[in-house]
Amino acid sequence: TRLQGDWSSDVCSSDLYYSDGNFILCRFKNAEIVLNYLKDNDLLIRGFPNMRSLKQCLRITIGKADEMDQLVDLLKQLERKV
């Protein structure tokens, strides 16, 4: 998918888990930093801080193309800051 190739491993690991729904689960190196950065930029992503096996994962809803562009752009910006 577009998400898989659009940001590097500096922010996101290679672990993307697809569903039959309109979302994917992505394992990040530090999900809390990503979650807070996206929240600060008005994107709401669901985290799982209390679930040990999903602690570094974020659930990303697959939206419209412009929303996905915004997500990828923000992740790239965060990558440059890390």
Side-chain angles (χ1 to χ4, degrees):
T1 70
R2 177 164 187 262
L3 291 177
Q4 195 169 23
D6 270 348
W7 71 79
S8 81
S9 60
D10 287 343
V11 173
C12 181
S13 76
S14 60
D15 298 335
L16 290 174
Y17 306 98
Y18 299 94
S19 74
D20 291 332
N22 66 335
F23 65 90
I24 61 170
L25 193 69
C26 182
R27 185 172 309 278
F28 288 86
K29 291 181 178 178
N30 190 325
E32 184 177 3
I33 288 174
V34 176
L35 183 69
N36 289 333
Y37 185 76
L38 295 177
K39 183 179 175 184
D40 290 346
N41 285 280
D42 300 322
L43 280 182
L44 299 179
I45 305 292
R46 182 170 179 202
F48 303 93
N50 298 321
M51 296 181 74
R52 184 179 177 146
S53 62
L54 297 177
K55 188 171 184 167
Q56 295 302 327
C57 291
L58 298 176
R59 178 185 167 184
I60 300 171
T61 301
I62 304 301
K64 298 176 185 174
D66 61 325
E67 295 168 332
M68 300 314 298
D69 290 342
Q70 181 184 12
L71 171 67
V72 170
D73 289 345
L74 286 171
L75 290 171
K76 286 180 178 180
Q77 288 173 22
L78 178 59
E79 177 183 65
R80 287 190 293 271
K81 293 180 179 195
V82 174

